[in-house]
Protein backbone atom coordinates (compact mmCIF):
# COMPACT_ATOMS: atom_id res chain seq x y z
CA UNK A 1 0.00 0.00 0.00
CA UNK A 2 2.90 2.36 0.73
CA UNK A 3 3.94 4.72 -2.03
CA UNK A 4 0.59 5.40 -3.72
CA UNK A 5 0.74 8.84 -2.15
CA UNK A 6 4.14 10.47 -1.71
CA UNK A 7 4.43 13.11 1.00
CA UNK A 8 7.10 15.77 1.26
CA UNK A 9 7.38 18.88 3.40
CA UNK A 10 8.56 22.26 2.19
CA UNK A 11 8.57 24.62 5.16
CA UNK A 12 5.00 24.77 6.42
CA UNK A 13 3.58 23.30 3.19
CA UNK A 14 2.95 19.57 2.74
CA UNK A 15 2.91 18.24 -0.80
CA UNK A 16 0.99 15.01 -1.43
CA UNK A 17 1.63 13.47 -4.84
CA UNK A 18 -0.63 10.79 -6.24
CA UNK A 19 1.59 8.07 -7.60
CA UNK A 20 -0.12 5.41 -9.67
CA UNK A 21 1.04 6.29 -13.16
CA UNK A 22 0.24 2.89 -14.69
CA UNK A 23 -3.48 3.53 -13.99
CA UNK A 24 -3.39 7.30 -14.60
CA UNK A 25 -3.65 7.90 -10.85
CA UNK A 26 -7.06 6.24 -10.75
CA UNK A 27 -8.28 6.40 -7.16
CA UNK A 28 -8.17 2.78 -6.07
CA UNK A 29 -9.56 1.97 -2.61
CA UNK A 30 -5.96 1.57 -1.39
CA UNK A 31 -4.93 4.97 -2.77
CA UNK A 32 -8.01 6.65 -1.29
CA UNK A 33 -7.25 5.13 2.10
CA UNK A 34 -3.65 6.27 1.91
CA UNK A 35 -4.61 9.79 0.84
CA UNK A 36 -7.29 10.19 3.52
CA UNK A 37 -4.97 8.78 6.21
CA UNK A 38 -2.15 11.10 5.16
CA UNK A 39 -4.46 14.13 5.26
CA UNK A 40 -5.74 13.09 8.69
CA UNK A 41 -2.17 12.60 9.94
CA UNK A 42 -1.06 16.03 8.72
CA UNK A 43 -4.20 17.94 9.73
CA UNK A 44 -3.42 18.28 13.46
CA UNK A 45 0.31 18.94 12.87
CA UNK A 46 0.95 22.58 13.83
CA UNK A 47 3.90 22.73 11.41
CA UNK A 48 1.62 22.02 8.43
CA UNK A 49 -0.27 25.14 7.44
CA UNK A 50 -1.34 24.30 3.90
CA UNK A 51 -1.48 21.07 1.86
CA UNK A 52 -1.04 20.75 -1.90
CA UNK A 53 -2.47 17.66 -3.61
CA UNK A 54 -0.89 16.99 -6.99
CA UNK A 55 -0.55 14.35 -9.66
CA UNK A 56 1.99 14.27 -12.47
CA UNK A 57 2.46 16.37 -15.62
CA UNK A 58 0.18 13.93 -17.49
CA UNK A 59 -2.60 13.34 -15.01
CA UNK A 60 -4.01 14.66 -11.76
CA UNK A 61 -6.34 11.66 -11.37
CA UNK A 62 -8.43 9.72 -13.91
CA UNK A 63 -11.24 9.13 -11.44
CA UNK A 64 -12.28 6.25 -9.29
CA UNK A 65 -10.72 2.94 -10.26
CA UNK A 66 -13.06 1.51 -12.88
CA UNK A 67 -11.58 -1.98 -12.64
CA UNK A 68 -12.20 -2.15 -8.91
CA UNK A 69 -15.71 -0.67 -9.32
CA UNK A 70 -16.60 -3.07 -12.11
CA UNK A 71 -16.05 -6.01 -9.77
CA UNK A 72 -18.19 -4.52 -6.98
CA UNK A 73 -21.73 -5.75 -6.39
CA UNK A 74 -24.53 -3.40 -5.41
CA UNK A 75 -24.41 -4.70 -1.83
CA UNK A 76 -20.64 -4.21 -1.68
CA UNK A 77 -20.94 -0.69 -3.09
CA UNK A 78 -23.34 0.20 -0.27
CA UNK A 79 -20.82 -0.87 2.36
CA UNK A 80 -17.66 0.19 0.58
CA UNK A 81 -15.18 2.30 2.61
CA UNK A 82 -14.63 4.52 -0.47
CA UNK A 83 -17.89 6.26 0.50
CA UNK A 84 -16.30 7.67 3.64
CA UNK A 85 -13.28 8.99 1.71
CA UNK A 86 -15.12 12.10 0.56
CA UNK A 87 -16.40 12.91 4.05
CA UNK A 88 -12.87 12.45 5.40
CA UNK A 89 -11.42 14.91 2.85
CA UNK A 90 -14.22 17.40 3.53
CA UNK A 91 -13.47 17.22 7.27
CA UNK A 92 -9.87 18.41 6.86
CA UNK A 93 -9.40 21.83 8.50
CA UNK A 94 -6.07 22.70 6.88
CA UNK A 95 -6.40 24.67 3.62
CA UNK A 96 -6.07 22.32 0.63
CA UNK A 97 -4.88 23.29 -2.84
CA UNK A 98 -5.24 21.02 -5.87
CA UNK A 99 -2.37 21.37 -8.37
CA UNK A 100 -3.83 20.02 -11.60
CA UNK A 101 -1.93 19.08 -14.72
CA UNK A 102 -3.33 16.76 -17.39
CA UNK A 103 -6.59 14.97 -16.69
CA UNK A 104 -8.83 15.55 -13.67
CA UNK A 105 -11.76 13.31 -14.54
CA UNK A 106 -14.58 11.78 -12.52
CA UNK A 107 -13.34 11.27 -8.97
CA UNK A 108 -10.21 13.23 -9.99
CA UNK A 109 -12.30 16.29 -10.81
CA UNK A 110 -14.24 15.72 -7.59
CA UNK A 111 -11.02 15.54 -5.59
CA UNK A 112 -9.92 18.87 -7.07
CA UNK A 113 -13.36 20.32 -6.26
CA UNK A 114 -13.10 19.05 -2.68
CA UNK A 115 -9.95 21.17 -2.28
CA UNK A 116 -10.26 24.84 -1.34
CA UNK A 117 -8.46 26.21 -4.40
CA UNK A 118 -7.31 24.85 -7.74
CA UNK A 119 -4.22 25.84 -9.73
CA UNK A 120 -4.26 24.33 -13.23
CA UNK A 121 -1.79 23.88 -16.03
CA UNK A 122 -2.97 25.48 -19.29
CA UNK A 123 -3.36 21.99 -20.76
CA UNK A 124 -5.35 20.51 -17.86
CA UNK A 125 -8.65 18.82 -18.73
CA UNK A 126 -11.59 18.47 -16.37
CA UNK A 127 -14.78 16.47 -16.62
CA UNK A 128 -17.32 14.15 -15.05
CA UNK A 129 -17.46 11.25 -17.54
CA UNK A 130 -19.34 8.90 -15.16
CA UNK A 131 -22.49 9.03 -17.28
CA UNK A 132 -20.58 7.33 -20.11
CA UNK A 133 -19.97 4.39 -17.74
CA UNK A 134 -23.62 4.09 -16.77
CA UNK A 135 -23.24 5.75 -13.37
CA UNK A 136 -23.28 9.29 -11.98
CA UNK A 137 -20.63 11.16 -9.97
CA UNK A 138 -20.50 9.83 -6.42
CA UNK A 139 -17.82 11.99 -4.82
CA UNK A 140 -19.60 15.33 -4.75
CA UNK A 141 -19.45 16.14 -8.49
CA UNK A 142 -23.13 16.92 -9.02
CA UNK A 143 -23.33 19.05 -5.88
CA UNK A 144 -20.05 20.95 -6.03
CA UNK A 145 -20.19 21.53 -9.79
CA UNK A 146 -23.75 22.87 -9.49
CA UNK A 147 -22.67 25.21 -6.70
CA UNK A 148 -19.65 26.49 -8.62
CA UNK A 149 -20.93 26.54 -12.22
CA UNK A 150 -24.66 26.92 -11.62
CA UNK A 151 -27.32 24.34 -12.45
CA UNK A 152 -27.41 24.68 -16.24
CA UNK A 153 -23.70 24.23 -16.89
CA UNK A 154 -23.32 21.50 -14.26
CA UNK A 155 -26.22 19.67 -15.89
CA UNK A 156 -24.53 19.90 -19.30
CA UNK A 157 -21.23 18.44 -18.09
CA UNK A 158 -22.80 15.76 -15.88
CA UNK A 159 -25.32 14.63 -18.53
CA UNK A 160 -22.91 14.64 -21.48
CA UNK A 161 -19.70 13.61 -19.71
CA UNK A 162 -17.89 16.16 -21.92
CA UNK A 163 -14.52 17.48 -20.84
CA UNK A 164 -13.66 21.15 -20.44
CA UNK A 165 -10.26 22.80 -20.55
CA UNK A 166 -8.44 24.85 -17.93
CA UNK A 167 -9.36 28.23 -19.42
CA UNK A 168 -13.03 27.29 -19.51
CA UNK A 169 -12.71 26.06 -15.92
CA UNK A 170 -11.26 29.44 -14.92
CA UNK A 171 -13.99 31.37 -16.71
CA UNK A 172 -16.64 29.30 -14.93
CA UNK A 173 -15.02 29.96 -11.54
CA UNK A 174 -13.82 26.43 -10.89
CA UNK A 175 -10.12 27.18 -11.17
CA UNK A 176 -8.34 29.98 -9.33
CA UNK A 177 -5.39 30.25 -11.65
CA UNK A 178 -4.35 28.85 -15.03
CA UNK A 179 -0.60 28.87 -15.47
CA UNK A 180 1.84 28.35 -18.33
CA UNK A 181 2.54 24.74 -19.28
CA UNK A 182 5.02 23.21 -16.86
CA UNK A 183 4.55 25.83 -14.10
CA UNK A 184 1.54 24.28 -12.37
CA UNK A 185 3.29 22.76 -9.36
CA UNK A 186 5.58 25.72 -8.77
CA UNK A 187 2.64 28.16 -8.86
CA UNK A 188 0.50 25.96 -6.62
CA UNK A 189 3.35 25.75 -4.10
CA UNK A 190 3.80 29.53 -4.23
CA UNK A 191 0.12 30.02 -3.47
CA UNK A 192 0.38 27.46 -0.65
CA UNK A 193 3.39 29.26 0.83
CA UNK A 194 1.46 32.53 0.81
CA UNK A 195 -1.38 30.85 2.74
CA UNK A 196 1.19 29.23 5.07
CA UNK A 197 2.65 32.65 5.92
CA UNK A 198 -0.72 33.77 7.29
CA UNK A 199 -1.70 33.06 10.91
CA UNK A 200 -2.65 29.36 10.86
CA UNK A 201 -5.53 29.48 13.32
CA UNK A 202 -7.10 32.30 11.34
CA UNK A 203 -6.68 30.50 7.99
CA UNK A 204 -8.48 27.45 9.42
CA UNK A 205 -11.27 29.61 10.82
CA UNK A 206 -11.52 31.46 7.50
CA UNK A 207 -11.77 28.15 5.62
CA UNK A 208 -14.58 27.03 7.93
CA UNK A 209 -16.39 30.34 7.48
CA UNK A 210 -16.22 30.27 3.67
CA UNK A 211 -17.32 26.62 3.53
CA UNK A 212 -20.21 27.63 5.79
CA UNK A 213 -21.42 29.89 2.96
CA UNK A 214 -22.07 26.79 0.83
CA UNK A 215 -23.80 24.87 3.55
CA UNK A 216 -26.04 27.32 5.38
CA UNK A 217 -28.60 30.01 4.77
CA UNK A 218 -27.19 33.57 4.86
CA UNK A 219 -28.35 34.43 8.38
CA UNK A 220 -26.91 31.20 9.83
CA UNK A 221 -23.72 31.70 7.80
CA UNK A 222 -23.33 35.24 9.15
CA UNK A 223 -23.84 33.99 12.69
CA UNK A 224 -21.29 31.22 12.10
CA UNK A 225 -18.82 33.75 10.68
CA UNK A 226 -19.27 36.01 13.71
CA UNK A 227 -18.47 33.14 16.13
CA UNK A 228 -15.39 32.21 14.10
CA UNK A 229 -14.32 35.88 14.00
CA UNK A 230 -14.64 36.03 17.79
CA UNK A 231 -12.42 32.96 18.06
CA UNK A 232 -9.84 34.67 15.83
CA UNK A 233 -9.98 37.69 18.17
CA UNK A 234 -8.95 35.40 21.04
CA UNK A 235 -5.65 34.37 19.41
CA UNK A 236 -2.18 35.66 20.23
CA UNK A 237 -1.53 35.86 16.51
CA UNK A 238 -4.14 38.57 16.07
CA UNK A 239 -2.48 40.61 18.85
CA UNK A 240 0.81 40.18 16.97
CA UNK A 241 -0.77 40.93 13.57
CA UNK A 242 -2.33 44.18 14.74
CA UNK A 243 0.73 45.22 16.75
CA UNK A 244 3.01 44.56 13.75
CA UNK A 245 0.77 46.69 11.53
CA UNK A 246 0.86 49.59 13.98
CA UNK A 247 4.65 49.25 14.42
CA UNK A 248 5.07 49.11 10.61
CA UNK A 249 6.88 45.75 10.64
CA UNK A 250 6.25 42.22 9.36
CA UNK A 251 4.21 40.06 11.78
CA UNK A 252 5.61 36.85 13.23
CA UNK A 253 2.78 34.35 13.59
CA UNK A 254 3.21 31.41 15.98
CA UNK A 255 -0.11 29.59 15.53
CA UNK A 256 -1.37 30.52 19.00
N1 LIG B 1 -9.71 3.36 -13.50
C1 LIG B 1 -8.91 2.29 -13.71
N2 LIG B 1 -7.94 2.28 -14.64
C2 LIG B 1 -7.77 3.38 -15.38
C3 LIG B 1 -8.56 4.55 -15.22
C4 LIG B 1 -9.58 4.49 -14.20
N3 LIG B 1 -10.37 5.55 -13.92
N4 LIG B 1 -8.16 5.49 -16.10
C5 LIG B 1 -7.14 4.93 -16.79
N5 LIG B 1 -6.91 3.66 -16.37
C6 LIG B 1 -5.92 2.71 -16.87
C7 LIG B 1 -6.32 2.12 -18.21
O1 LIG B 1 -7.22 1.06 -18.06
C8 LIG B 1 -4.99 1.71 -18.79
O2 LIG B 1 -4.61 0.49 -18.19
P1 LIG B 1 -3.88 -0.65 -19.08
O3 LIG B 1 -2.57 -0.03 -19.47
O4 LIG B 1 -3.72 -1.78 -18.12
O5 LIG B 1 -4.75 -0.93 -20.23
C9 LIG B 1 -4.02 2.78 -18.23
O6 LIG B 1 -4.69 3.39 -17.12
C10 LIG B 1 -3.75 3.88 -19.24
O7 LIG B 1 -5.00 4.39 -19.68
P2 LIG B 1 -5.22 4.89 -21.19
O8 LIG B 1 -4.52 3.99 -22.14
O9 LIG B 1 -6.69 5.10 -21.38
O10 LIG B 1 -4.43 6.29 -21.12
P3 LIG B 1 -4.61 7.59 -22.01
O11 LIG B 1 -3.47 8.47 -21.65
O12 LIG B 1 -4.82 7.22 -23.44
O13 LIG B 1 -5.99 8.25 -21.49
C11 LIG B 1 -7.53 9.06 -19.83
C12 LIG B 1 -6.05 8.83 -20.21
C13 LIG B 1 -8.17 10.11 -20.74
C14 LIG B 1 -7.51 9.55 -18.38
C15 LIG B 1 -8.32 7.74 -19.96
O14 LIG B 1 -7.57 6.71 -19.32
C16 LIG B 1 -9.68 7.75 -19.36
O15 LIG B 1 -10.61 8.25 -19.97
N6 LIG B 1 -9.85 7.17 -18.13
C17 LIG B 1 -11.14 7.00 -17.51
C18 LIG B 1 -11.72 8.32 -17.01
C19 LIG B 1 -13.07 8.07 -16.35
O16 LIG B 1 -14.01 7.60 -16.95
N7 LIG B 1 -13.17 8.45 -15.05
C20 LIG B 1 -14.37 8.29 -14.26
C21 LIG B 1 -14.26 7.10 -13.37
S1 LIG B 1 -15.74 6.80 -12.45
C22 LIG B 1 -15.67 7.80 -11.10
O17 LIG B 1 -14.75 8.59 -10.93
C23 LIG B 1 -16.78 7.63 -10.08
C24 LIG B 1 -16.86 8.70 -9.04
O18 LIG B 1 -17.44 9.74 -9.23
C25 LIG B 1 -16.32 8.50 -7.70
Amino acid sequence: MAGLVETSLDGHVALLRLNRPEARNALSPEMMEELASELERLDPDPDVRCVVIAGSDQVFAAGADIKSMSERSFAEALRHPAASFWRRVAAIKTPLIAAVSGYALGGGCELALACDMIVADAEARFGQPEITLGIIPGGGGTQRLARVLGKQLAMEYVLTGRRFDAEMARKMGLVNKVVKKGKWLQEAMELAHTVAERPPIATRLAKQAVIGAEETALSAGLENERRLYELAMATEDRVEGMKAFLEKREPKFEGR
Side-chain angles (χ1 to χ4, degrees):
M1 185 165 125
L4 295 172
V5 177
E6 290 180 345
T7 304
S8 56
L9 277 177
D10 181 11
H12 290 301
V13 175
L15 170 62
L16 303 190
R17 293 200 74 161
L18 308 177
N19 180 34
R20 221 187 144 217
E22 71 287 358
R24 303 297 185 264
N25 288 343
L27 301 165
S28 62
E30 295 77 14
M31 189 192 237
M32 288 165 116
E33 179 53 42
E34 210 172 310
L35 180 56
S37 300
E38 249 335 64
L39 288 169
E40 285 165 350
R41 185 182 69 79
L42 295 166
D43 201 30
D45 184 339
D47 281 334
V48 176
R49 298 181 179 183
C50 190
V51 175
V52 174
I53 300 177
S56 64
D57 280 332
Q58 291 75 34
V59 65
F60 177 69
D65 191 289
I66 299 169
K67 184 163 188 304
S68 144
M69 280 193 304
S70 72
E71 291 160 358
R72 210 171 289 160
S73 69
F74 170 64
E76 284 165 345
L78 284 180
R79 291 191 303 265
H80 202 274
S84 67
F85 169 79
W86 302 102
R87 283 193 293 276
R88 291 168 76 187
V89 175
I92 299 299
K93 302 275 191 295
T94 311
L96 303 177
I97 297 176
V100 177
S101 179
Y103 296 107
L105 301 178
C109 187
E110 291 169 307
L111 177 60
L113 280 165
C115 293
D116 303 306
M117 290 181 271
I118 304 176
V119 174
D121 183 270
E123 295 191 359
R125 295 287 179 275
F126 297 83
Q128 298 291 159
E130 287 89 343
I131 202 79
T132 65
L133 300 168
I135 54 170
I136 70 168
T142 63
Q143 300 307 293
R144 292 206 172 95
L145 266 191
R147 278 170 169 76
V148 178
L149 312 187
K151 187 201 101 182
Q152 312 296 119
L153 286 173
M155 201 65 94
E156 179 183 333
Y157 291 115
V158 170
L159 292 187
T160 64
R162 269 186 212 140
R163 295 176 195 159
F164 48 94
D165 66 18
E167 189 47 35
M168 186 66 181
R170 193 194 58 77
K171 280 192 195 137
M172 296 188 298
L174 184 136
V175 155
N176 294 75
K177 201 169 182 191
V178 179
V179 301
K180 270 197 219 140
K181 188 170 157 50
K183 297 277 183 203
W184 56 281
L185 189 53
Q186 185 188 325
E187 296 260 2
M189 290 299 284
E190 276 173 25
L191 180 59
H193 279 293
T194 302
V195 173
E197 281 168 17
R198 305 292 180 247
I201 298 176
T203 56
R204 288 172 159 237
L205 296 174
K207 168 171 172 163
Q208 256 180 279
V210 175
I211 285 175
E214 287 190 328
E215 293 185 349
T216 51
L218 180 60
S219 55
L222 291 172
E223 208 40 52
N224 181 45
E225 181 197 78
R226 190 70 199 172
R227 294 288 90 78
L228 294 166
Y229 158 81
E230 285 159 2
L231 286 178
M233 283 297 284
T235 62
E236 289 177 23
D237 279 346
R238 77 93 185 173
V239 175
E240 164 64 8
M242 293 180 185
K243 203 163 166 245
F245 174 81
L246 295 173
E247 291 170 2
K248 302 190 190 306
R249 62 172 173 82
E250 286 298 311
K252 193 168 175 341
F253 296 122
E254 303 286 357
R256 287 198 286 263

